[in-house]
Amino acid sequence: QFQGRIAWRATDKNSLVIHGGLEYLQFLSGGVAPMLTPVFGLALQTQIAKKTSLSLSADQGLSASYFENQTSESTSFSVTLAQRLSGKLGLTLRGSYGTVTYTSSATGVAALGNYDYASFTTRLTYAIITRGSISVTYQLSDNVSSAPGLSFTANQVGLELGYSF
């Protein structure tokens, strides 16, 4: 994978990161020619108010699939809103959407097709000591696949203790 990256801090409140390049996949067997595919993405972050930030990101990539003899091309978009509620309490809301398309990397092998996924995550974080925090997270995920048996909806709740060195 060959990539370049540009990071620009336009103001104290706004920043932009852009990356792009090429992914070269060569297959050891299967009779498929090597693939040269563009990969790119961007992330924009802005400080809306003193205690509120908004982040937008989009990415496009290609990689070897978890499934044998297949590659996966993915496109994703996300929006994150972070709000400091008090001196020690913060709330983060994140929504994301993406799509993955599978391609066979072997002659005569059918690809899985594609799937779309969406998720919503909310996280409440409380600073318990100077560099430590505790977070409670809820995530709702919905995955819709063109392949039988791979669609699902999930609800997850998490508890995390963190410390920064």
Side-chain angles (χ1 to χ4, degrees):
Q1 191 177 76
F2 307 98
Q3 280 201 57
R5 179 180 139 159
I6 297 171
W8 178 41
R9 186 160 180 95
T11 67
D12 288 344
K13 296 182 178 187
N14 300 303
S15 63
L16 175 69
V17 176
I18 298 172
H19 67 88
L22 295 170
E23 174 83 29
Y24 178 75
L25 287 178
Q26 185 175 21
F27 304 99
L28 301 177
S29 63
V32 175
M35 297 173 72
L36 187 62
T37 307
V39 293
F40 51 89
L42 68 94
L44 172 65
Q45 184 169 3
T46 184
Q47 192 77 30
I48 296 172
K50 186 176 180 180
K51 297 180 179 184
T52 308
S53 66
L54 177 68
S55 301
L56 306 170
S57 68
D59 286 287
Q60 168 78 30
L62 176 74
S63 62
S65 169
Y66 293 118
F67 303 105
E68 187 176 4
N69 296 319
Q70 296 184 43
T71 61
S72 59
E73 184 174 355
S74 62
T75 304
S76 64
F77 305 93
S78 70
V79 176
T80 304
L81 181 67
Q83 175 70 50
R84 175 71 50 204
L85 301 173
S86 70
K88 293 186 173 198
L89 188 64
L91 175 67
T92 303
L93 304 172
R94 182 175 192 265
S96 62
Y97 171 79
T99 184
V100 177
T101 302
Y102 292 97
T103 304
S104 177
S105 61
T107 304
V109 175
L112 276 177
N114 57 17
Y115 73 90
D116 297 326
Y117 60 91
S119 70
F120 174 74
T121 306
T122 182
R123 174 180 289 218
L124 193 59
T125 303
Y126 183 76
I128 51 178
I129 57 176
T130 304
R131 294 183 177 184
S133 64
I134 185 167
S135 299
V136 177
T137 304
Y138 169 74
Q139 181 174 355
L140 170 64
S141 301
D142 187 41
N143 293 281
V144 178
S145 175
S146 61
L150 293 181
S151 296
F152 67 90
T153 299
N155 291 284
Q156 297 175 320
V157 176
L159 180 65
E160 179 182 305
L161 294 173
Y163 185 79
S164 299
F165 291 95

XYZ file of all heavy atoms in Angstrom, residues 24-117:
692
model
N -1.993 -2.277 -3.802
C -1.622 -3.266 -4.808
C -1.758 -4.642 -4.184
O -1.076 -4.959 -3.212
C -0.183 -3.025 -5.269
C 0.307 -4.026 -6.285
C -0.122 -3.965 -7.605
C 1.195 -5.023 -5.926
C 0.333 -4.877 -8.548
C 1.658 -5.933 -6.853
C 1.215 -5.866 -8.163
O 1.654 -6.765 -9.092
N -2.670 -5.455 -4.715
C -2.863 -6.819 -4.230
C -2.448 -7.795 -5.318
O -2.923 -7.720 -6.449
C -4.328 -7.071 -3.867
C -4.852 -6.422 -2.599
C -6.337 -6.724 -2.411
C -4.080 -6.898 -1.387
N -1.552 -8.681 -4.958
C -1.098 -9.708 -5.884
C -1.474 -11.055 -5.288
O -1.214 -11.313 -4.108
C 0.414 -9.610 -6.066
C 0.961 -10.549 -7.088
C 2.450 -10.327 -7.302
O 3.136 -9.757 -6.454
N 2.957 -10.784 -8.423
N -2.079 -11.912 -6.091
C -2.575 -13.196 -5.617
C -1.594 -14.304 -5.984
O -1.095 -14.356 -7.111
C -3.957 -13.473 -6.205
C -4.921 -12.364 -5.895
C -5.202 -11.382 -6.830
C -5.519 -12.277 -4.649
C -6.076 -10.351 -6.539
C -6.381 -11.245 -4.348
C -6.659 -10.284 -5.292
N -1.329 -15.183 -5.027
C -0.366 -16.260 -5.251
C -0.959 -17.401 -6.066
O -0.237 -18.182 -6.661
C 0.142 -16.779 -3.898
C 0.830 -15.725 -3.030
C 1.226 -16.317 -1.695
C 2.049 -15.160 -3.749
N -2.275 -17.534 -6.045
C -2.929 -18.582 -6.828
C -4.311 -18.097 -7.224
O -4.758 -17.043 -6.794
C -3.041 -19.871 -5.997
O -3.858 -19.661 -4.864
N -5.020 -18.876 -8.034
C -6.388 -18.548 -8.378
C -6.582 -18.000 -9.770
O -7.692 -17.887 -10.241
N -5.504 -17.594 -10.451
C -5.631 -17.154 -11.823
C -6.168 -15.743 -12.006
O -6.578 -15.380 -13.099
N -6.189 -14.927 -10.973
C -6.688 -13.559 -11.087
C -5.504 -12.596 -11.174
O -4.525 -12.738 -10.434
C -7.586 -13.201 -9.872
C -8.009 -11.757 -9.913
C -8.796 -14.108 -9.837
N -5.609 -11.639 -12.073
C -4.540 -10.652 -12.246
C -4.414 -9.776 -11.000
O -5.389 -9.585 -10.261
C -4.847 -9.779 -13.463
N -3.238 -9.225 -10.740
C -3.076 -8.312 -9.601
C -4.042 -7.134 -9.695
O -4.440 -6.722 -10.786
C -1.630 -7.823 -9.726
C -0.942 -8.872 -10.537
C -1.988 -9.412 -11.476
N -4.423 -6.591 -8.543
C -5.353 -5.465 -8.486
C -4.617 -4.229 -7.999
O -3.890 -4.282 -7.016
C -6.504 -5.766 -7.518
C -7.363 -6.941 -7.934
S -8.575 -7.376 -6.657
C -9.719 -6.019 -6.804
N -4.826 -3.107 -8.675
C -4.301 -1.812 -8.262
C -5.510 -0.902 -8.058
O -6.211 -0.580 -9.012
C -3.363 -1.247 -9.328
C -2.613 0.018 -8.969
C -1.695 -0.220 -7.773
C -1.796 0.497 -10.158
N -5.772 -0.540 -6.812
C -6.998 0.168 -6.462
C -6.674 1.421 -5.649
O -5.830 1.376 -4.751
C -7.911 -0.745 -5.615
O -8.106 -1.971 -6.314
C -9.246 -0.108 -5.337
N -7.364 2.544 -5.926
C -7.152 3.743 -5.109
C -7.748 3.572 -3.709
O -8.792 2.943 -3.545
C -7.882 4.843 -5.874
C -8.835 4.152 -6.771
C -8.300 2.781 -7.024
N -7.047 4.088 -2.713
C -7.539 4.154 -1.335
C -7.418 5.605 -0.888
O -6.459 6.294 -1.232
C -6.769 3.208 -0.385
C -7.039 1.762 -0.720
C -5.278 3.476 -0.402
N -8.418 6.077 -0.145
C -8.380 7.471 0.269
C -9.320 7.697 1.440
O -10.164 6.856 1.764
C -8.753 8.400 -0.890
C -10.043 8.030 -1.573
C -11.257 8.520 -1.144
C -10.027 7.175 -2.665
C -12.433 8.175 -1.771
C -11.194 6.828 -3.308
C -12.409 7.323 -2.858
N -9.165 8.842 2.058
C -10.035 9.204 3.161
C -9.780 10.624 3.601
O -8.801 11.258 3.202
N -10.708 11.111 4.421
C -10.533 12.433 5.002
C -11.221 12.490 6.353
O -12.156 11.740 6.631
C -11.066 13.532 4.078
C -12.568 13.616 3.827
C -13.206 14.585 4.797
C -12.794 14.120 2.415
N -10.716 13.354 7.188
C -11.293 13.584 8.512
C -11.265 15.080 8.774
O -10.236 15.733 8.594
C -10.508 12.844 9.587
N -12.393 15.611 9.178
C -12.535 17.027 9.486
C -12.995 17.140 10.925
O -13.944 16.464 11.334
C -13.567 17.664 8.554
C -13.988 19.105 8.861
C -12.807 20.048 8.674
C -15.142 19.505 7.977
N -12.309 17.955 11.708
C -12.707 18.175 13.099
C -12.839 19.666 13.341
O -11.985 20.451 12.912
C -11.707 17.583 14.075
C -12.164 17.716 15.515
C -11.306 16.908 16.479
O -10.335 16.291 16.107
N -11.689 16.930 17.734
N -13.922 20.037 14.015
C -14.138 21.440 14.328
C -14.638 21.587 15.762
O -15.369 20.732 16.265
C -15.119 22.096 13.333
O -15.214 23.488 13.621
C -16.489 21.467 13.383
N -14.207 22.642 16.399
C -14.646 22.975 17.751
C -15.825 23.924 17.592
O -15.653 25.097 17.281
C -13.497 23.638 18.517
C -13.708 23.765 19.991
C -13.498 22.442 20.703
O -12.717 21.609 20.281
N -14.226 22.245 21.786
N -17.055 23.393 17.757
C -18.265 24.188 17.557
C -18.415 25.250 18.649
O -18.759 26.393 18.383
C -19.508 23.281 17.542
C -19.443 22.332 16.355
C -20.787 24.093 17.485
C -20.521 21.287 16.359
N -18.183 24.845 19.877
C -18.255 25.741 21.030
C -17.135 25.336 21.977
O -16.411 24.373 21.722
C -19.620 25.635 21.707
N -17.000 26.057 23.076
C -15.909 25.794 24.008
C -15.880 24.342 24.477
O -14.821 23.752 24.609
C -16.027 26.733 25.214
C -14.881 26.649 26.174
C -15.027 27.667 27.286
C -13.859 27.567 28.249
N -13.983 28.537 29.340
N -17.055 23.738 24.690
C -17.128 22.375 25.209
C -17.702 21.368 24.212
O -18.035 20.258 24.573
C -17.982 22.355 26.479
C -17.400 23.180 27.610
C -18.281 23.107 28.826
C -17.696 23.916 29.962
N -18.494 23.780 31.186
N -17.796 21.748 22.943
C -18.431 20.883 21.940
C -17.566 20.770 20.695
O -17.128 21.773 20.149
C -19.805 21.461 21.526
O -20.576 21.723 22.693
C -20.552 20.498 20.633
N -17.330 19.523 20.247
C -16.587 19.318 19.007
C -17.367 18.388 18.079
O -18.162 17.557 18.525
C -15.197 18.736 19.278
O -15.297 17.434 19.806
N -17.140 18.550 16.788
C -17.793 17.756 15.756
C -16.713 17.213 14.830
O -15.827 17.949 14.397
C -18.766 18.626 14.954
C -19.473 17.959 13.780
C -20.461 16.904 14.270
C -20.196 19.013 12.941
N -16.803 15.905 14.532
C -15.855 15.269 13.628
C -16.616 14.555 12.525
O -17.624 13.892 12.791
C -14.995 14.240 14.367
O -14.281 14.837 15.409
N -16.126 14.680 11.307
C -16.679 13.986 10.146
C -15.544 13.210 9.495
O -14.434 13.725 9.377
C -17.248 14.977 9.133
C -18.273 15.979 9.625
C -18.539 17.033 8.562
C -19.561 15.274 9.995
N -15.816 11.975 9.063
C -14.774 11.218 8.373
C -15.379 10.343 7.292
O -16.543 9.948 7.369
C -13.959 10.370 9.354
O -14.758 9.333 9.889
N -14.562 10.051 6.288
C -14.943 9.164 5.190
C -13.689 8.420 4.755
O -12.597 8.993 4.727
C -15.515 9.963 4.031
N -13.847 7.136 4.439
C -12.718 6.318 4.013
C -13.132 5.341 2.922
O -14.271 4.861 2.918
C -12.141 5.519 5.185
C -11.360 6.383 6.137
O -10.250 6.795 5.765
O -11.862 6.660 7.245
N -12.195 5.032 2.045
C -12.374 4.039 0.981
C -11.122 3.172 0.986
O -10.009 3.700 0.989
C -12.507 4.742 -0.372
C -12.419 3.853 -1.580
C -13.694 3.093 -1.857
O -14.769 3.574 -1.544
N -13.586 1.914 -2.418
N -11.302 1.838 1.029
C -10.131 0.972 1.080
C -10.379 -0.392 0.479
O -11.514 -0.776 0.209
N -9.313 -1.130 0.276
C -9.346 -2.477 -0.269
C -8.420 -3.336 0.571
O -7.333 -2.889 0.947
C -8.862 -2.475 -1.726
C -8.762 -3.832 -2.405
C -10.159 -4.348 -2.752
C -7.911 -3.740 -3.654
N -8.843 -4.560 0.875
C -7.980 -5.443 1.657
C -8.334 -6.898 1.383
O -9.365 -7.202 0.785
C -8.127 -5.148 3.153
O -9.454 -5.389 3.573
N -7.461 -7.778 1.827
C -7.763 -9.205 1.761
C -8.942 -9.457 2.698
O -9.041 -8.860 3.764
C -6.551 -10.017 2.195
N -9.832 -10.329 2.304
C -11.031 -10.608 3.079
C -10.751 -11.650 4.159
O -9.788 -12.408 4.083
C -12.129 -11.130 2.143
O -13.207 -11.636 2.881
N -11.621 -11.700 5.153
C -11.577 -12.777 6.144
C -11.968 -14.101 5.493
O -11.656 -15.164 5.978
C -12.533 -12.495 7.300
C -12.122 -11.312 8.142
C -12.938 -10.200 8.250
C -10.925 -11.317 8.845
C -12.566 -9.111 9.021
C -10.543 -10.235 9.606
C -11.369 -9.137 9.702
O -11.008 -8.075 10.460
N -12.690 -14.021 4.378
C -13.172 -15.209 3.680
C -12.164 -15.629 2.615
O -11.619 -14.790 1.892
C -14.550 -14.948 3.066
C -15.563 -14.510 4.081
C -15.968 -13.188 4.154
C -16.093 -15.415 4.986
C -16.889 -12.771 5.098
C -17.021 -15.015 5.937
C -17.417 -13.691 5.989
N -11.925 -16.901 2.501
C -10.925 -17.442 1.584
C -11.212 -17.057 0.128
O -12.355 -17.081 -0.310
C -10.898 -18.969 1.723
C -9.799 -19.627 0.946
C -9.729 -21.131 1.188
O -10.591 -21.676 1.900
O -8.810 -21.741 0.662
N -10.155 -16.727 -0.589
C -10.200 -16.393 -2.017
C -11.060 -15.168 -2.335
O -11.692 -15.105 -3.384
C -10.675 -17.590 -2.847
C -9.710 -18.749 -2.782
O -8.501 -18.554 -2.827
N -10.232 -19.951 -2.628
N -11.100 -14.192 -1.425
C -11.893 -12.993 -1.667
C -11.166 -11.756 -1.162
O -10.367 -11.822 -0.236
C -13.249 -13.096 -0.969
C -14.102 -14.211 -1.527
C -15.462 -14.244 -0.904
O -16.081 -13.209 -0.723
N -15.935 -15.435 -0.593
N -11.455 -10.630 -1.805
C -11.005 -9.330 -1.319
C -12.242 -8.558 -0.882
O -13.364 -8.879 -1.274
C -10.281 -8.530 -2.414
O -11.177 -8.309 -3.503
C -9.038 -9.250 -2.895
N -12.044 -7.557 -0.059
C -13.175 -6.722 0.362
C -12.830 -5.256 0.125
O -11.762 -4.784 0.503
C -13.535 -6.964 1.821
O -12.457 -6.685 2.666
N -13.749 -4.566 -0.538
C -13.611 -3.134 -0.767
C -14.616 -2.447 0.139
O -15.806 -2.765 0.119
C -13.903 -2.794 -2.223
C -13.674 -1.343 -2.544
C -13.836 -1.048 -4.027
O -14.028 -1.971 -4.812
O -13.758 0.152 -4.364
N -14.156 -1.530 0.966
C -15.041 -0.899 1.941
C -15.082 0.611 1.778
O -14.091 1.244 1.410
C -14.599 -1.246 3.367
O -13.299 -0.760 3.605
N -16.253 1.160 2.040
C -16.476 2.596 2.059
C -17.215 2.905 3.349
O -18.187 2.225 3.677
C -17.334 3.035 0.853
O -16.691 2.605 -0.345
C -17.512 4.538 0.823
N -16.760 3.898 4.093
C -17.414 4.224 5.360
C -17.478 5.728 5.586
O -16.634 6.475 5.092
C -16.693 3.553 6.532
O -15.379 4.060 6.646
N -18.502 6.128 6.330
C -18.723 7.519 6.706
C -19.088 7.546 8.184
O -19.812 6.668 8.658
C -19.882 8.134 5.910
C -19.725 8.028 4.437
C -20.267 6.953 3.733
C -19.025 8.984 3.731
C -20.116 6.842 2.370
C -18.865 8.878 2.356
C -19.414 7.808 1.682
N -18.626 8.559 8.907
C -19.019 8.682 10.312
C -19.103 10.146 10.733
O -18.441 11.014 10.165
C -18.049 7.934 11.230
O -16.803 8.569 11.275
N -19.942 10.373 11.737
C -20.119 11.684 12.345
C -20.025 11.481 13.858
O -20.682 10.594 14.407
C -21.491 12.298 11.995
C -21.688 13.622 12.707
C -21.646 12.455 10.502
N -19.203 12.286 14.523
C -19.042 12.188 15.968
C -19.242 13.560 16.592
O -18.640 14.541 16.156
C -17.636 11.661 16.336
O -17.424 10.412 15.675
C -17.487 11.490 17.835
N -20.076 13.610 17.615
C -20.312 14.826 18.377
C -19.873 14.563 19.812
O -20.335 13.605 20.441
C -21.794 15.203 18.341
C -22.197 16.471 19.087
C -21.594 17.695 18.417
C -23.710 16.582 19.137
N -18.956 15.382 20.323
C -18.461 15.236 21.698
C -18.815 16.491 22.485
O -18.575 17.612 22.015
C -16.956 15.007 21.703
N -19.378 16.287 23.653
C -19.821 17.396 24.497
C -19.301 17.203 25.910
O -19.529 16.162 26.521
C -21.355 17.445 24.514
C -21.953 18.475 25.457
C -21.728 19.898 24.973
O -22.000 20.200 23.823
N -21.237 20.755 25.835
N -18.586 18.202 26.451
C -18.170 18.186 27.853
C -19.362 18.694 28.639
O -19.802 19.838 28.472
C -16.946 19.077 28.044
C -16.476 19.251 29.455
C -15.837 18.060 30.092
N -14.808 17.446 29.289
C -14.446 16.175 29.413
N -15.026 15.400 30.291
N -13.509 15.679 28.665
N -19.949 17.839 29.490
C -21.149 18.204 30.248
C -20.803 18.967 31.522
O -21.561 19.830 31.955
C -21.967 16.955 30.580
C -22.437 16.146 29.365
C -23.090 14.855 29.807
C -23.370 16.975 28.504
N -19.679 18.618 32.127
C -19.193 19.324 33.314
C -17.674 19.165 33.322
O -17.111 18.627 32.383
C -19.814 18.730 34.591
O -19.286 17.440 34.838
N -17.035 19.576 34.379
C -15.576 19.476 34.456
C -15.054 18.061 34.298
O -14.001 17.838 33.733
N -15.801 17.062 34.776
C -15.326 15.681 34.736
C -16.180 14.740 33.888
O -15.823 13.599 33.695
C -15.275 15.124 36.161
C -14.238 15.790 37.030
C -14.147 15.093 38.352
C -12.993 15.666 39.158
N -12.606 14.785 40.237
N -17.310 15.217 33.393
C -18.257 14.359 32.687
C -18.367 14.754 31.219
O -18.532 15.930 30.902
C -19.631 14.453 33.363
C -20.719 13.493 32.894
C -20.323 12.044 33.190
C -22.033 13.828 33.601
N -18.256 13.756 30.334
C -18.353 14.025 28.908
C -19.266 13.026 28.217
O -19.402 11.877 28.647
N -19.905 13.466 27.138
C -20.808 12.630 26.359
C -20.340 12.638 24.906
O -20.038 13.692 24.341
C -22.239 13.174 26.438
C -23.292 12.468 25.582
C -23.530 11.048 26.087
C -24.587 13.271 25.595
N -20.279 11.449 24.301
C -19.913 11.319 22.886
C -21.006 10.542 22.167
O -21.430 9.488 22.631
C -18.565 10.577 22.731
O -17.562 11.273 23.476
C -18.148 10.498 21.280
N -21.452 11.077 21.030
C -22.435 10.412 20.177
C -21.778 10.188 18.819
O -21.165 11.103 18.267
C -23.685 11.272 20.004
C -24.396 11.701 21.277
C -25.499 12.703 20.954
C -24.967 10.492 22.009
N -21.911 8.970 18.285
C -21.276 8.660 16.994
C -22.219 7.834 16.142
O -22.762 6.833 16.595
C -19.985 7.884 17.207
C -19.244 7.580 15.909
C -17.894 6.921 16.203
N -17.071 6.890 15.032
C -16.985 5.860 14.202
N -17.681 4.770 14.420
N -16.199 5.913 13.146
N -22.389 8.251 14.912
C -23.153 7.485 13.937
C -22.252 7.147 12.773
O -21.422 7.955 12.367
N -22.406 5.944 12.248
C -21.575 5.558 11.106
C -22.374 4.681 10.145
O -23.326 4.011 10.535
C -20.309 4.833 11.560
O -20.637 3.636 12.233
N -21.942 4.730 8.894
C -22.551 3.913 7.845
C -21.434 3.441 6.921
O -20.482 4.175 6.656
C -23.561 4.720 7.021
C -24.044 3.960 5.811
C -25.008 2.972 5.936
C -23.480 4.195 4.566
C -25.406 2.240 4.830
C -23.886 3.471 3.458
C -24.844 2.495 3.595
O -25.239 1.757 2.511
N -21.559 2.236 6.458
C -20.553 1.730 5.540
C -21.092 0.626 4.660
O -22.172 0.082 4.900
N -20.318 0.308 3.654
C -20.660 -0.784 2.759
C -19.386 -1.545 2.424
O -18.310 -0.944 2.321
C -21.367 -0.264 1.484
O -21.763 -1.378 0.696
C -20.497 0.656 0.681
N -19.514 -2.859 2.298
C -18.387 -3.719 1.930
C -18.820 -4.570 0.749
O -19.888 -5.173 0.771
C -17.958 -4.627 3.105
C -16.827 -5.557 2.684
C -17.545 -3.806 4.313
N -17.971 -4.607 -0.271
C -18.238 -5.434 -1.449
C -17.130 -6.474 -1.561
O -15.948 -6.128 -1.541
C -18.267 -4.565 -2.725
O -19.273 -3.564 -2.560
C -18.573 -5.400 -3.952
N -17.529 -7.725 -1.662
C -16.565 -8.816 -1.796
C -16.365 -9.152 -3.274
O -17.311 -9.154 -4.051
C -17.052 -10.061 -1.053
C -17.063 -9.874 0.434
C -18.221 -9.520 1.104
C -15.893 -10.025 1.167
C -18.225 -9.331 2.475
C -15.882 -9.830 2.538
C -17.058 -9.484 3.182
O -17.047 -9.292 4.534
N -15.112 -9.441 -3.634
C -14.763 -9.829 -4.987
C -13.943 -11.108 -4.897
O -13.050 -11.219 -4.047
C -13.915 -8.730 -5.668
O -14.642 -7.506 -5.623
C -13.608 -9.084 -7.105
N -14.240 -12.050 -5.781
C -13.494 -13.309 -5.789
C -12.083 -13.077 -6.299
O -11.865 -12.346 -7.268
C -14.206 -14.332 -6.670
O -13.445 -15.516 -6.724
N -11.119 -13.702 -5.664
C -9.730 -13.607 -6.112
C -9.268 -14.925 -6.720
O -8.081 -15.151 -6.894
C -8.817 -13.201 -4.951
O -8.885 -14.179 -3.925
N -10.228 -15.805 -7.038
C -9.906 -17.092 -7.660
C -10.910 -17.391 -8.766
O -12.109 -17.189 -8.596
C -9.922 -18.203 -6.615
N -10.429 -17.856 -9.871
C -11.288 -18.204 -10.990
C -12.235 -19.334 -10.580
O -11.814 -20.316 -9.982
C -10.433 -18.651 -12.196
O -9.515 -17.598 -12.497
C -11.300 -18.933 -13.402
N -13.531 -19.130 -10.858
C -14.522 -20.160 -10.565
C -15.046 -20.154 -9.138
O -15.849 -21.007 -8.760
N -14.610 -19.210 -8.293
C -15.091 -19.118 -6.917
C -16.021 -17.914 -6.810
O -15.639 -16.808 -7.181
C -13.925 -18.971 -5.904
C -14.449 -18.765 -4.501
C -13.013 -20.183 -5.975
N -17.241 -18.148 -6.334
C -18.217 -17.062 -6.215
C -17.916 -16.214 -4.985
O -17.565 -16.733 -3.924
C -19.629 -17.636 -6.110
N -18.058 -14.910 -5.117
C -17.853 -13.985 -3.995
C -19.105 -13.946 -3.134
O -20.204 -14.277 -3.586
C -17.530 -12.593 -4.514
N -18.941 -13.538 -1.876
C -20.061 -13.458 -0.940
C -21.078 -12.391 -1.304
O -22.175 -12.394 -0.831
C -19.551 -13.166 0.466
C -19.093 -14.366 1.267
C -18.536 -13.915 2.603
C -20.212 -15.348 1.478
N -20.710 -11.430 -2.107
C -21.632 -10.346 -2.448
C -21.241 -9.083 -1.716
O -20.101 -8.660 -1.761
N -22.188 -8.495 -0.996
C -21.881 -7.270 -0.273
C -22.754 -7.148 0.962
O -23.703 -7.902 1.133
C -22.036 -6.044 -1.168
C -23.428 -5.945 -1.753
O -24.367 -6.574 -1.287
N -23.571 -5.145 -2.776
N -22.390 -6.220 1.829
C -23.245 -5.906 2.966
C -23.113 -4.443 3.334
O -22.099 -3.807 3.063
C -23.016 -6.835 4.155
C -21.741 -6.643 4.938
C -21.701 -5.767 6.022
C -20.603 -7.352 4.650
C -20.562 -5.606 6.764
C -19.450 -7.207 5.392
C -19.442 -6.329 6.459
O -18.306 -6.166 7.185
N -24.180 -3.940 3.919
C -24.226 -2.570 4.425
C -24.323 -2.643 5.939
O -24.966 -3.543 6.481
C -25.452 -1.829 3.880
C -25.417 -1.691 2.372
O -24.319 -1.544 1.816
O -26.496 -1.726 1.754
N -23.703 -1.697 6.600
C -23.793 -1.676 8.051
C -23.978 -0.235 8.529
O -23.526 0.711 7.901
C -22.566 -2.309 8.708
C -21.257 -1.632 8.361
C -20.751 -0.607 9.142
C -20.522 -2.025 7.244
C -19.564 0.009 8.831
C -19.324 -1.414 6.922
C -18.852 -0.400 7.721
O -17.670 0.211 7.404
